[in-house]
Amino acid sequence: MITVRIPCSTSNIGPGFDTLGLALNRYLVLKAEPSTTTTVITVEGNGKDHIPADDTNLVYTSMRAFAQSVGRELPALELRVINGVPAYGGLGSSGAAIAGGVFLANELLETRCTQDEMLDVAVKIEGHPDNVSAALKGGFTINCFENGRLHCRSIKITAPLSVIACSPHFQLLTSQARRILPASVTLKEAVTNIENVASLVAAMMSGDVEALAYATRDCLHEQYRATLIPGYDDVKRAALEAGALSCNISGAGPTMFCFATSNQEAIGTAMSAAFAGHGLLSSLEIMAVENDGAVRI
Ligand code: HSE
């Protein structure tokens, strides 16, 4: 039996649209062994009733895609998917499933691909590198394409940062949250994002957490996606008033997340109360950065 563990993640982190990822300490656990009969998939944990347990399962389709990419056949399997990733969107559940499937298939087939080779397969499936890179490599990932070739760095974070994520209970498709984005932005907006993302990377690398207050501002996607999240402005205001360093949409949403070094419970309670003021139930997670990516356990 092979068991692997893959962290969930937040992505974009404000200005780093499709570029920055951050692994967090909630996990997808996968267990697999070859079967002598047919493939059987079981799903447990968060959102289990909404995760397919057939050959459309994203872990399984990602395993098959990996096998195909290395010219191998995936054997019949017993596959257990144990999902500890918060189920409401924005915390890298699909990124963890894809990265996990690829990583698990590499272990099962003993193909010994490097992390970057696995990442290439995972990015082709997901379409963008931020969540899958955090899921595979852990830490704070910085992704850059050069003529279609991905360069990904993972920075290990030592600052005592908490990530408070509040997920309102409604479904927001990533495709819908991407469709709403404009095809072009002004030079001023582009420059603002460059300033902020550069400052954000410096802050994360140096542990200058106070800089997160300004370096997480974004002009490329949040203002558009905010219209899809009832209470966005109130949740952000409540979180900052309760002591958060920052408050952004996590990934494509609808989860919103804060960085903080204190008052974590009060910040979470304030975020939930603000969503409740807009008639929305929400789930709260107070997490830490996970510097390990996908691991065999
Ligand atoms: N970078 C992606 C987005 C993350 O914001 O659409 C969600 O998959």
Side-chain angles (χ1 to χ4, degrees):
M1 169 81 73
I2 293 173
T3 303
V4 301
R5 188 190 81 172
I6 305 95
C8 77
S9 55
T10 185
S11 57
N12 302 329
I13 314 175
F17 179 69
D18 276 1
T19 301
L20 301 178
L22 185 67
L24 301 169
N25 65 344
R26 299 290 184 275
Y27 306 95
L28 174 68
V29 173
L30 304 173
K31 294 175 178 284
E33 61 187 346
S35 155
T36 50
T37 54
T38 54
T39 292
V40 177
I41 301 172
T42 54
V43 180
E44 302 159 45
N46 295 336
K48 70 178 167 59
D49 297 334
H50 304 286
I51 300 173
D54 57 23
D55 62 7
T56 66
N57 180 279
L58 188 55
V59 172
Y60 182 67
T61 56
S62 303
M63 292 181 80
R64 285 180 44 170
F66 175 82
Q68 194 176 22
S69 76
V70 293
R72 295 277 300 273
E73 189 91 14
L74 193 67
L77 293 174
E78 280 183 32
L79 172 64
R80 261 180 86 191
V81 177
I82 306 159
N83 188 29
V85 177
Y88 291 96
L91 288 167
S93 54
S94 65
I98 293 166
V102 168
F103 185 82
L104 178 61
N106 183 53
E107 293 292 319
L108 195 79
L109 299 172
E110 297 180 344
T111 28
R112 294 193 168 82
C113 286
T114 64
Q115 246 181 5
D116 284 327
E117 288 166 344
M118 289 187 271
L119 183 56
D120 282 340
V121 179
V123 172
K124 283 198 181 85
I125 301 169
E126 174 94 313
H128 38 84
D130 38 4
N131 291 103
V132 283
S133 61
L136 267 175
K137 294 194 170 195
F140 176 58
T141 55
I142 303 165
N143 295 282
C144 178
F145 283 103
E146 176 208 8
N147 298 326
R149 176 173 170 228
L150 178 63
H151 301 273
C152 173
R153 260 163 196 249
S154 163
I155 311 280
K156 304 307 168 194
I157 301 298
T158 50
L161 263 187
S162 297
V163 170
I164 301 134
C166 188
S167 307
H169 291 188
F170 71 93
Q171 180 92 32
L172 178 55
L173 294 176
T174 298
S175 53
Q176 184 192 357
R178 292 181 81 85
R179 241 190 340 263
I180 198 170
L181 303 181
S184 57
V185 298
T186 64
L187 183 63
K188 187 169 185 299
E189 288 170 319
V191 170
T192 302
N193 265 58
I194 293 167
E195 291 170 349
N196 291 343
V197 88
S199 303
L200 175 56
V201 170
M204 294 297 269
M205 291 182 76
S206 65
D208 174 16
V209 295
E210 299 301 323
L212 296 173
Y214 62 84
T216 49
R217 292 166 308 145
D218 164 74
C219 297
L220 301 186
H221 64 106
E222 287 220 1
Q223 59 187 306
Y224 309 101
R225 290 173 165 180
T227 64
L228 302 173
I229 303 175
Y232 169 92
D233 287 328
D234 289 337
V235 172
K236 189 163 185 157
R237 190 177 313 112
L240 296 176
E241 282 173 6
L245 293 162
S246 61
C247 183
N248 291 90
I249 299 172
S250 185
T255 295
M256 293 181 68
F257 84 102
C258 301
F259 283 123
T261 51
S262 59
N263 302 319
Q264 291 87 343
E265 298 282 345
I267 293 164
T269 305
M271 294 171 84
S272 292
F275 272 130
H278 289 264
L280 285 168
L281 289 174
S282 58
S283 302
L284 205 57
E285 298 283 346
I286 299 176
M287 298 179 277
V289 174
E290 172 55 81
N291 279 323
D292 286 335
V295 288
R296 185 166 174 174
I297 53 176

